[in-house]
Amino acid sequence: MMDEFTALRRYIEQTLKIQCGNYKEDYIKRRLLSRMRSTGTSTYTDYLKYLKANAPELEVLRKALTINVTEFFRDQDVYDLLKNTVLPDLFNQRKRIRIWCAGCSTGEEPYSIAMILSDLISQNKDLSAQIFATDIDKIVLAKAEEGIYSQKAMVKLSPLQINRHFTRLPDDTYQVKPHLKTLIRFRPHDLMSGAPVARWLDLITCRNVTIYFTEAQKDDLARMFHGALVTDGYYIMGKTEYLGRQVENLFAAKNSVQKIFVRKN
């Protein structure tokens, strides 16, 4: 007979199309217990009944399971290295570069990279770039593609950046200007699918996403990224993330503190 947790997990997978097996079980259980406390349910069975009877809770649970913590230019040191080292190095090798922002959430990371690219390209019209921005959550992806952000989201941006890259709307929100949007293609993508969004990529950023994955899944992801990158392509992880022993030989550290790596052959 199926236990309570398994029954709830299967319902979530079938209804929300979220593969719970792609996350650590402890992480899933912590998120579920948080929602159970909020809904006044005490067992997995009770919460499953609540889910079936209260459709709005499904969307709340989706957000809880695919929690997205993001902001423009999160970890400024990483973006300084992108601006001053990584992107100039790539443009020295070729005039057009291809970038994958994996797990892009509501879009702040790809737009931050696009701002840097826009500044570089404006100085040399021979340069061009394409960013593939992906996430498994189609709802946050739609928000990213819309490109409208609150004043709070703009706190790390200078007045010059805001004026150049955003249009202020009547309700005091800010919309990304078309010149940034043309650099980015937003697509739904499951990192556990085993297939990259594209190949012959020059740079992959996947930051603060794999902390919820098992060790085996992290290794599979690193192998997939390795296969998708060109020789000497860059891979940037989150500061708290690391390459497992089974895959650390695939990359050389360019900056071990900021978790910037280069693909080995």
Side-chain angles (χ1 to χ4, degrees), residues 1-14:
M1 184 177 174
M2 195 183 304
D3 64 42
E4 289 186 31
F5 173 70
T6 302
L8 175 56
R9 188 185 68 191
R10 286 196 180 177
Y11 181 76
I12 291 168
E13 290 180 340
Q14 291 167 1

Side-chain angles (χ1 to χ4, degrees), residues 5-222:
F5 173 70
T6 302
L8 175 56
R9 188 185 68 191
R10 286 196 180 177
Y11 181 76
I12 291 168
E13 290 180 340
Q14 291 167 1
T15 308
L16 296 180
K17 308 302 180 187
I18 293 173
Q19 295 304 310
C20 297
N22 291 346
Y23 300 90
K24 294 177 182 176
E25 189 172 295
D26 285 349
Y27 167 76
I28 296 291
K29 287 182 174 179
R30 284 199 306 272
R31 297 293 173 195
L32 288 173
L33 288 172
S34 174
R35 292 310 310 148
M36 287 163 65
R37 284 194 295 270
S38 297
T39 56
T41 51
S42 56
T43 68
Y44 292 131
T45 298
D46 288 343
Y47 184 62
L48 177 55
K49 290 176 183 176
Y50 185 91
L51 268 181
K52 291 178 177 178
N54 297 272
E57 175 64 16
L58 282 167
E59 193 50 47
V60 178
L61 178 60
R62 178 198 298 277
K63 290 179 179 177
L65 291 175
T66 58
I67 189 165
N68 300 286
V69 179
T70 182
E71 61 189 22
F72 290 110
F73 293 99
R74 184 183 184 188
D75 299 325
Q76 185 64 50
D77 290 345
V78 174
Y79 287 100
D80 288 343
L81 285 164
L82 265 174
K83 178 181 178 180
N84 299 317
T85 304
V86 176
L87 293 175
D89 179 43
L90 290 173
F91 277 131
N92 282 336
Q93 298 175 49
R94 55 192 66 85
K95 298 297 184 185
R96 178 172 176 80
I97 62 173
R98 287 153 49 90
I99 298 167
W100 179 13
C101 287
C104 72
S105 186
T106 46
E108 287 88 340
E109 180 174 86
Y111 285 128
S112 296
I113 296 173
M115 287 182 228
I116 298 172
L117 286 169
S118 178
D119 291 341
L120 292 172
I121 292 169
S122 69
Q123 297 164 25
N124 185 343
K125 300 299 183 183
D126 291 335
L127 304 179
S128 64
Q130 178 74 71
I131 300 172
F132 300 97
T134 67
D135 202 281
I136 193 172
D137 188 335
K138 292 181 181 179
I139 291 173
V140 299
L141 207 57
K143 178 173 172 54
E145 197 157 16
E146 183 182 44
I148 297 176
Y149 298 93
S150 66
Q151 284 184 313
K152 185 179 178 182
M154 316 301 284
V155 67
K156 285 191 176 179
L157 300 180
S158 69
L160 185 65
Q161 287 173 314
I162 294 172
N163 290 334
R164 179 166 183 203
H165 301 301
F166 295 84
T167 300
R168 187 170 182 170
L169 302 179
D171 61 355
D172 287 335
T173 57
Y174 293 81
Q175 183 159 36
V176 175
K177 288 185 177 179
H179 69 268
L180 289 190
K181 287 192 171 187
T182 57
L183 292 171
I184 306 172
R185 291 183 190 171
F186 290 101
R187 294 181 180 176
H189 181 270
D190 181 357
L191 286 172
M192 290 294 101
S193 67
V197 71
R199 296 192 183 273
W200 306 107
L201 296 160
D202 300 288
L203 166 64
I204 295 175
T205 67
C206 185
R207 302 170 60 223
N208 309 305
V209 175
T210 67
I211 52 176
Y212 308 121
F213 291 4
T214 65
E215 296 304 312
Q217 288 161 349
K218 291 176 188 177
D219 290 352
D220 288 343
L221 199 61

Side-chain angles (χ1 to χ4, degrees), residues 100 191-192 194 196 204 206 210 213-229 234-235 237 242-251 261-264:
W100 179 13
L191 286 172
M192 290 294 101
I204 295 175
C206 185
T210 67
F213 291 4
T214 65
E215 296 304 312
Q217 288 161 349
K218 291 176 188 177
D219 290 352
D220 288 343
L221 199 61
R223 292 186 188 99
M224 181 178 73
F225 288 158
H226 181 269
L229 285 165
Y234 285 85
Y235 171 32
M237 308 176 73
Y242 56 88
L243 289 169
R245 290 186 177 181
Q246 299 294 322
V247 293
E248 61 185 2
N249 63 315
L250 298 177
F251 299 90
F261 299 89
V262 175
R263 180 193 189 273
K264 289 182 180 178

